[in-house]
Amino acid sequence: MATKRGLLSPSVSRSRINAPSSSSCLSASSILPFFLLLLIFPLFFFVGRGLYVSSSSGSGNSFDAVKQDVDWRERLILQHLKPFFSKEDIDIISANVKDLGPLSLDSFKNNNGSASWKVVGQENADDASVEAKNIGTNMKQDKLKGKQDISSDSHPDVVDSPAVQIRRRLREKRREKRAADLVKQDDETILKLENAAIQRSKSVDSAVLGKYNIWRRENDNENTDSTVRLMRDQIIMARVYIGIAKMKNKLELSQELQHRLKESQRALGETTTDADLSRSAPEKIKAMGQILSKAKEQLYDCKLVTGKLRAMLQSAEEQVRSLKKQSTFLSQLAAKTVPNGIHCLAMRLTIDYYLLPLEKRKFPQIENLEKPKLYHYALFSDNVLAASVVVNSTITNAKEPEKHVFHLVTDKLNFGAMNMWFLSNPPGKATIHVENVDEFKWLNSSYCPVLRQLESSAMKEYYFKADHPTTISSGASNLKYRNPKYLSMLNHLRFYLPQIYPKLDKILFLDDDIVVQKDLSQLWSVDLQGKVNGAVETCGESFHRFDKYLNFSNPHISRNFDPSACGWAYGMNLFDLKEWKKKDITGIYHKWQNMNEDRTLWKLGTLPPGLITFYGLTHPLEKSWHVLGLGYNPSIDKSEIDKAAVVHYNGNMKPWLEIAMTKYRSYWTKYIKYDHPYLRRCKLSE
């Protein structure tokens, strides 16, 4: 009866009741054979199984042989049932037989039958599976830890056979191995990405900071020593825990942390390498580590620590911004100053010049000054040493020095010094002439807008008002535009070249912070294609376009110019003076300069009005003619500098200042004779 109850389980009844009423339902004529087969099937199954197991009790066959025999009998029974049932009926019966619960075939395989039932051959299989028992024990332990699989969760009272447990264990091992391989691959990938990021950060740091800051020793130390780094980390964490200790009223711990912090700071000092650390450093590290461990046990709170570190980071960022402003202020201040040596040189030369007789104050070959077929240069400067480098480097690299003519203009203060230097150090076969800008009588406030603006009360107030910000941080942004060079007419003479040299056709304008490295005579044969200005463009980067220099919120600028138009460089410019006169370039300059009296179109300087005046009238030269940035950019490729005809120290770090970049300074100093008597007396040296 138990067998009948097992076979006619409620699940079968429900399956049959819920089956669809199509061809899959049993017909009335097949109900009787169906019930007969249900009664005969278990008897036939168990008798066959018992005979088979008994006959094989002495053979020692494994469970695989038993399983194969059962599978064969099941296939035989299904073959005899096919004429009476459809495929869907057979699937329903098979599914319910597998779900018979305690009397199912799997239940008997798992030894869940009555204690009086015994399957012959089971002992041999169990004896031969010692590892399976161990695995079963481990699986039970895993179940107690909450690591059971889905089948265990569904049937917690059913114990799998050793063979199933072995297979499950092997699957788990394979999954663990795959997971470990994936984690290893992820770690390797992350490591590669981190290394790549480190290399990129090094290249960025070297491009921005450079190696020229001799007071920043850590810039040259790519691998900061670990002990120094550890002490710095300990100091940071000590500051974090001091704040938390005070917050939680742990005053004793706070005082102890403060004491250790001061000791570590004294031991570290300004040291950047392990070799420079004091002998007491290891003891300080050990003591600090102990107190930090104690503080972590008593005070550690993720939110508090994170908040403290974030506050420290924000404070450090504020300090960095303040130091940047201070650095900008000091660098601009240094750029405005004249070194003592150069000032001494100018004074000594001036004294000696005015001691000369009048007949010895004249330069030879003055007839060359108005010959248009020669190579003429315009140089406006108040720096004697810088002007000497420009002239000397140009003549040294010239193939025909006798064809080169230099037109120098300086101010009244340096007129005698400039004359005396080139009278005592003539540029070989080249022609040179020095003029005083204050003797240009036509250059007055009624003609020149810049002079009129410089004399206005608004400009004086802008430059000299007493209540202007005087602190380093607040005055740094405006200091650049209060540079004295913007007040000097020498800086604006470049817009009056035809008036200064009316008989010349072409002239090459040179700044006094350049060095010539090749013969420049080929520039005079460059076809400017009807343009007035020949210059090297600087729009390789976005910040060298017109919108960098001009105020495009002003309608006068936005209507007339393209904000993305390419900028170009002053410093080495070839001007066609004939085309200049035809297009009235000076008149265009005057028009825009008058419109900018209140400085709403651009800030002070000569490049913005130059971009406006020569807009659409500039012919681009090959970049190798003129390389810029030696006064501010530490990452210029050496090959570009070596190939350049002219290198330009534009920026604050001029080569004659102490803040100059040492890696570029040799290009300038090679054209100075430091054993010259004047330079020795003024203590000028490399």
Side-chain angles (χ1 to χ4, degrees):
M1 295 301 292
T3 306
K4 292 180 181 179
R5 286 194 299 270
L7 289 172
L8 297 176
S9 61
S11 62
V12 176
S13 302
R14 287 192 299 270
S15 301
R16 300 298 297 154
I17 291 169
N18 296 329
S21 60
S22 60
S23 61
S24 63
C25 296
L26 296 174
S27 63
S29 62
S30 62
I31 293 176
L32 183 59
F34 171 73
F35 282 103
L36 290 175
L37 286 170
L38 289 179
L39 293 173
I40 294 171
F41 172 71
L43 182 61
F44 180 81
F45 174 77
F46 287 119
V47 171
R49 177 179 171 84
L51 290 173
Y52 174 77
V53 173
S54 299
S55 64
S56 60
S57 60
S59 63
N61 291 337
S62 63
F63 276 109
D64 293 336
V66 176
K67 184 176 185 302
Q68 291 175 2
D69 185 72
V70 172
D71 293 341
W72 175 78
R73 292 179 183 278
E74 289 176 353
R75 288 196 301 271
L76 182 61
I77 292 169
L78 291 174
Q79 185 177 358
H80 287 290
L81 289 175
K82 282 183 179 179
F84 300 98
F85 302 100
S86 66
K87 184 178 183 301
E88 294 182 6
D89 294 330
I90 294 172
D91 292 341
I92 294 171
I93 295 171
S94 177
N96 285 279
V97 169
K98 290 180 180 179
D99 197 29
L100 287 178
L103 295 178
S104 66
L105 180 60
D106 290 336
S107 179
F108 280 101
K109 288 181 182 180
N110 295 331
N111 204 15
N112 288 333
S114 173
S116 61
W117 297 350
K118 184 176 182 180
V119 181
V120 180
Q122 181 71 32
E123 301 83 8
N124 295 335
D126 291 340
D127 293 339
S129 305
V130 178
E131 184 181 359
K133 292 180 180 180
N134 295 333
I135 295 175
T137 303
N138 294 334
M139 291 296 297
K140 290 179 180 179
Q141 294 175 354
D142 291 344
K143 186 193 296 184
L144 293 175
K145 295 178 182 178
K147 297 181 179 179
Q148 57 203 44
D149 57 11
I150 298 174
S151 63
S152 298
D153 293 336
S154 302
H155 305 285
D157 296 329
V158 178
V159 179
D160 291 332
S161 67
V164 173
Q165 293 174 355
I166 291 172
R167 289 196 296 272
R168 183 180 295 116
R169 194 66 175 176
L170 290 174
R171 285 195 299 270
E172 290 178 356
K173 289 183 178 179
R174 286 196 295 270
R175 283 196 297 268
E176 291 175 358
K177 185 177 183 301
R178 287 197 297 269
D181 292 340
L182 290 174
V183 170
K184 184 178 179 181
Q185 292 176 2
D186 290 343
D187 291 342
E188 292 175 353
T189 303
I190 292 172
L191 183 61
K192 290 179 181 178
L193 292 174
E194 289 177 348
N195 291 335
I198 290 171
Q199 294 300 323
R200 286 196 301 272
S201 66
K202 288 181 180 179
S203 64
V204 171
D205 289 342
S206 63
V208 176
L209 296 177
K211 304 294 183 182
Y212 52 87
N213 304 40
I214 57 174
W215 56 89
R216 294 282 301 277
R217 294 176 59 188
E218 62 268 26
N219 287 348
D220 293 326
N221 188 6
E222 296 180 355
N223 299 313
T224 306
D225 292 18
S226 58
T227 306
V228 172
R229 192 164 61 246
L230 174 60
M231 293 187 72
R232 289 173 177 170
D233 292 343
Q234 286 184 335
I235 289 172
I236 292 172
M237 291 309 301
R239 289 173 177 165
V240 171
Y241 283 126
I242 287 171
I244 298 176
K246 291 179 179 178
M247 185 186 305
K248 294 190 174 183
N249 204 26
K250 301 278 187 179
L251 300 181
E252 185 178 348
L253 181 58
S254 174
Q255 291 175 359
E256 192 173 354
L257 282 166
Q258 192 74 41
H259 175 67
R260 297 300 180 190
L261 175 63
K262 291 180 180 178
E263 288 185 343
S264 295
Q265 288 175 332
R266 282 195 297 267
L268 183 61
E270 300 295 329
T271 304
T272 58
T273 61
D274 288 354
D276 296 334
L277 285 172
S278 63
R279 295 181 180 179
S280 63
E283 297 178 2
K284 306 302 181 187
I285 292 173
K286 184 178 179 181
M288 178 64 86
Q290 292 173 350
I291 189 61
L292 287 176
S293 178
K294 179 180 177 181
K296 183 178 180 181
E297 292 176 358
Q298 297 184 22
L299 304 173
Y300 184 78
D301 183 291
C302 185
K303 288 186 178 179
L304 286 177
V305 171
T306 304
K308 286 290 181 182
L309 289 173
R310 187 179 293 114
M312 292 173 65
L313 178 61
Q314 291 174 351
S315 176
E317 289 176 348
E318 289 295 330
Q319 291 179 2
V320 168
R321 280 194 288 269
S322 176
L323 290 173
K324 282 184 177 179
K325 290 181 179 179
Q326 185 176 4
S327 175
T328 302
F329 180 90
L330 294 175
S331 64
Q332 292 172 0
L333 185 64
K336 295 196 303 180
T337 60
V338 177
N340 288 336
I342 296 178
H343 179 72
C344 166
L345 178 64
M347 293 299 100
R348 288 185 179 274
L349 288 169
T350 301
I351 293 171
D352 290 347
Y353 174 74
Y354 287 107
L355 292 176
L356 285 177
L358 292 177
E359 63 272 11
K360 292 186 177 181
R361 296 182 186 180
K362 296 180 181 180
F363 289 99
Q365 304 174 353
I366 58 173
E367 65 277 4
N368 291 336
L369 296 177
E370 297 181 350
K371 291 182 178 179
K373 293 185 178 180
L374 299 179
Y375 307 129
H376 294 266
Y377 300 86
L379 176 61
F380 310 143
S381 176
D382 58 0
N383 188 325
V384 176
L385 195 62
S388 70
V389 171
V390 175
V391 174
N392 191 21
S393 62
T394 305
I395 297 304
T396 301
N397 294 284
K399 294 180 179 178
E400 299 177 297
E402 66 278 3
K403 292 184 178 180
H404 295 259
V405 180
F406 292 90
H407 303 265
L408 270 69
V409 180
T410 187
D411 56 15
K412 183 187 298 184
L413 185 63
N414 294 279
F415 178 72
M418 200 75 72
N419 274 281
M420 187 64 196
W421 176 264
F422 288 106
L423 286 170
S424 58
N425 301 278
K429 297 180 180 180
T431 302
I432 193 165
H433 181 63
V434 180
E435 294 181 270
N436 182 2
V437 67
D438 295 315
E439 293 179 358
F440 295 162
K441 301 304 180 181
W442 53 268
L443 194 64
N444 50 56
S445 57
S446 61
Y447 173 69
C448 178
V450 172
L451 281 175
R452 184 174 63 255
Q453 292 168 9
L454 290 174
E455 293 175 359
S456 68
S457 58
M459 189 66 72
K460 290 178 181 178
E461 182 180 7
Y462 178 77
Y463 272 99
F464 306 114
K465 190 175 180 181
D467 60 352
H468 270 311
T470 55
T471 60
I472 288 178
S473 58
S474 60
S477 59
N478 293 326
L479 183 64
K480 176 180 178 181
Y481 300 106
R482 294 189 173 89
N483 195 313
K485 71 178 183 179
Y486 297 129
L487 298 173
S488 172
M489 269 310 297
L490 290 175
N491 203 40
H492 296 269
L493 278 182
R494 62 194 70 190
F495 294 104
Y496 300 97
L497 290 172
Q499 286 84 352
I500 303 172
Y501 311 111
K503 295 185 178 180
L504 299 181
D505 296 335
K506 283 186 177 181
I507 195 166
L508 185 66
F509 171 79
L510 298 177
D511 266 341
D512 63 356
D513 55 352
I514 63 103
V515 174
V516 178
Q517 300 187 126
K518 295 183 180 180
D519 179 43
L520 301 180
S521 58
Q522 294 299 318
L523 280 171
W524 276 264
S525 61
V526 172
D527 183 9
L528 296 182
Q529 300 178 5
K531 303 297 178 63
V532 180
N533 175 27
V536 171
E537 293 182 333
T538 58
C539 58
E541 302 293 341
S542 60
F543 54 86
H544 282 149
R545 297 185 183 273
F546 270 47
D547 58 355
K548 166 66 178 177
Y549 306 99
L550 304 176
N551 178 20
F552 275 86
S553 63
N554 187 289
H556 296 293
I557 297 295
S558 58
R559 281 198 305 264
N560 292 280
F561 305 102
D562 179 8
S564 62
C566 190
W568 44 267
Y570 268 132
M572 189 207 71
N573 305 81
L574 181 65
F575 292 111
D576 188 333
L577 300 184
K578 286 185 176 181
E579 291 294 329
W580 184 307
K581 296 172 185 176
K582 289 180 182 178
K583 294 179 171 59
D584 190 20
I585 297 299
T586 303
I588 296 174
Y589 164 70
H590 282 174
K591 168 193 169 185
W592 287 103
Q593 192 67 51
N594 284 324
M595 294 173 64
N596 193 47
E597 186 168 0
D598 54 358
R599 299 180 305 281
T600 57
L601 304 185
W602 68 85
K603 296 289 186 179
L604 296 178
T606 54
L607 181 56
L611 295 176
I612 288 178
T613 302
F614 295 100
Y615 183 67
L617 300 173
T618 300
H619 175 74
L621 299 176
E622 290 291 332
K623 290 187 178 297
S624 60
W625 279 111
H626 186 190
V627 170
L628 299 101
L630 277 72
Y632 70 90
N633 185 1
S635 58
I636 303 175
D637 191 86
K638 187 177 183 299
S639 61
E640 292 185 17
I641 298 175
D642 294 338
K643 291 186 296 185
V646 171
V647 292
H648 194 174
Y649 292 84
N650 57 315
N652 286 332
M653 299 177 184
K654 303 299 184 186
W656 54 83
L657 299 175
E658 290 185 6
I659 61 173
M661 286 184 270
T662 54
K663 63 186 296 185
Y664 301 142
R665 201 164 185 268
S666 60
Y667 297 101
W668 189 78
T669 56
K670 66 187 292 186
Y671 294 104
I672 298 176
K673 296 179 180 179
Y674 284 98
D675 58 348
H676 194 281
Y678 280 109
L679 272 59
R680 285 205 312 269
R681 278 187 286 175
C682 291
K683 298 180 181 179
L684 283 167
S685 61
E686 294 187 59

